[in-house]
Amino acid sequence: MRVSKSLALLGLFRAATAAPAPVAQDETPTLSIPTEVPSDPSVALDQLEALASATAELLQADIAEGNGTAERRGLSLSGSCTLSKLKIRREWSTLSKTQRKDYIHAVQCLQSKPAKTPSGQAPGAKTRFDDFVALHIQQTLEIHYTGNFLSWHRLYTWLYEEALRNECGYTGTQPYWNWGLSALTGLQNHAAFDGSDTSMSGDGEFIANKADIFINAGDLPPIRLAAGTGGGCVKSGPFKDMKVNLGPVSLETPGGITVSNPEGPLAYNPRCLKRDLSTHINRAYSNGSAVLANVVRPTNVNDFQLQMQGIPGSGNIGIHGGGHFSLGGDPGRDFFTSPGDPMFYLHHAMIDRVWWLWQELSPRQRTQGSTAIAGTRTFMNGPPSPDATIEDILNMGYVGESRAIKDVLSTTGGPFCYIYL
């Protein structure tokens, strides 16, 4: 794709994600949901952003009217989320340079503050940022391919945003990385990865002649992925000198070799942040068509989250895996330690955005009661465990307040008051 076309698409994206006009209180906005998913990822991305903009407009009308339009859609609001409190999460590329720097400085602040996790539980957790990494390591096999995958990561990402705000003076919201956009522009041309001082840092040092990556999943055939364009220590941008302190636990490296820290997953193991950016993986698994398909095709949460994480045995790593493996490197390819890359939170904000959008297509079924979640309490039900319920507690350890799943099923309910554009 020529750069000029990529820039034009970025312009369309900015227009689609501009703040929607206020909705008159006697109007009831409706959603125009695509019935077919275009094979052209740029067309699909346009449709996805139009749907997101309309959804944001609809939700703002709901909040403005109390329960007016919400009740007509079969959804009751608690009333605690008001327009004056509402926060809007936006794509990194649409932020001003000042807004990007404010976010970067807050993340660096979190990386400079001491950990709250006791050293006896996680000796390698040296910073407040590490608290989040340690928690994810400790709970990985209870929060992926489980009934709480979506809700746990929603609360976890929000608590990270709250830590940036309350502990480091950040006044913005958690940005997200739209994989559909970077699939069109190429990762290195996306504002999050261009290596400038307003990026989240770029690629790692180039390592030549890397073998392919193999994702191993028990008895299932391994998934083979081509290595990216870096592989070494991140060489540019605000995080080029940061240290990853924890892990690795299960790091997939070229040639099908899985690496772990022999001292243990929570031991102190300082090393550089590595990336191996792969536009090829981004375009193969998390382009605009793949994202739109994940929003409009599944009719129940079980199918939705399986498609997102990759249906076991299908050979497809889903949009969730597509984002993680597009980053690559260490800890990006480590299922357990991946929050050690600051881009994790922009990636999972996009995961949450896709869930938010899917939920709002049928809010009563998808944000309330037993139909809002599906799955057991262990990774792929191994070992066998009971089904998750909305009464289950999401354990946030030393990261922040734990809450029941039922309290985090809506981004405008419970402790939350945010939407996406």
Side-chain angles (χ1 to χ4, degrees), residues 48 150 154 179 290-292 294-295 304 308 319 348-360 420:
L48 181 75
L150 294 163
R154 170 173 286 175
W179 326 293
V291 179
L292 183 62
N294 212 141
V295 171
F304 172 79
M308 173 178 277
I319 56 177
H348 265 276
M350 181 63 178
I351 290 290
D352 187 59
R353 182 182 190 241
V354 174
W355 184 30
W356 163 80
L357 190 52
W358 181 80
Q359 286 182 303
E360 293 304 327
Y420 288 92

Side-chain angles (χ1 to χ4, degrees), residues 3 84 107 205 230 258 272 323 360:
V3 173
S84 63
V107 174
E205 289 281 357
T258 302
C272 69
E360 293 304 327

